[in-house]
Amino acid sequence: MTSEKPVLQSLGASQRRAKLQDVKAEDYATPEKYLEGAEIPTFYQFQSNMVADEDLKAGMVSGLEVDKRLTLPTRTHIRFLVTGQDVLHSFSIPSLGLKTDATPGRINRINTFIQREGVFYGQCSELCGALHGFMPIVCEAVSPETYAAHARKWYKE
């Protein structure tokens, strides 16, 4: 009887290679291209509130739906400047890989690049007070063309 040693197979990077693509920023359309000279503000302050359970409509997620969704373009580099007004908060949208603290008196910067359209849900993930569980964040990612039409409407107001 011969004693054979078990053979271990390596499942590391040597066996599977990632498929790489050469992508440049110029390959993607930018919203400015669609705004045709419309004035774009240098900042945008945004506030939305949670929809109460009695006001929910079919398809809305209880406890996570808001009255105004943050609409963002896809295929565009986006920078968030986040700060707190009253206490520590934590701006978090896990499905986009976003999480940063919102600290009063400080500005934190995070960047993202949304590749696909959809609705992304998040919440404040800091113990910031009595209504901590009632601070949802909803981001709706749309095509640059749809975003431009949406931006024209909101920038006029």
Side-chain angles (χ1 to χ4, degrees):
M1 182 169 168
T2 62
S3 63
E4 292 182 22
K5 292 184 180 179
V7 178
L8 298 176
Q9 292 181 337
S10 173
L11 298 177
S14 62
Q15 300 245 342
R16 297 183 310 183
R17 296 273 180 211
K19 190 175 181 182
L20 299 177
Q21 295 179 348
D22 188 20
V23 178
K24 300 178 189 116
E26 297 84 33
D27 296 339
Y28 294 99
T30 58
E32 290 87 0
K33 172 180 166 182
Y34 299 101
L35 289 175
E36 298 174 6
E39 185 177 335
I40 300 174
T42 55
F43 74 95
Y44 187 66
Q45 186 174 352
F46 188 82
Q47 179 177 341
S48 63
N49 300 299
M50 186 174 81
V51 174
D53 286 339
E54 57 269 8
D55 296 330
L56 288 174
K57 296 176 183 164
M60 290 183 160
V61 182
S62 177
L64 287 178
E65 199 60 58
V66 295
D67 57 353
K68 285 192 298 187
R69 290 179 171 179
L70 176 60
T71 305
L72 297 172
T74 58
R75 304 183 314 271
T76 303
H77 292 277
I78 300 167
R79 178 177 61 182
F80 290 97
L81 299 175
V82 180
T83 188
Q85 189 172 9
D86 48 2
V87 296
L88 288 175
H89 294 283
S90 186
F91 182 84
S92 174
I93 305 176
S95 54
L96 291 178
L98 297 177
K99 182 175 182 180
T100 189
D101 290 332
T103 308
R106 271 183 188 249
I107 297 177
N108 287 330
R109 183 182 80 183
I110 54 175
N111 299 305
T112 190
F113 186 89
I114 305 171
Q115 296 182 3
R116 65 181 175 88
E117 295 180 23
V119 178
F120 303 94
Y121 293 93
Q123 269 185 307
C124 175
S125 57
E126 186 73 47
L127 296 176
C128 53
L131 297 176
H132 161 75
F134 305 102
M135 296 183 186
I137 301 164
V138 182
C139 171
E140 186 172 357
V142 297
S143 70
E145 297 85 359
T146 306
Y147 176 77
H150 177 81
R152 276 193 201 102
K153 173 185 153 195
W154 283 101
Y155 292 163
K156 287 179 184 176
E157 292 178 1

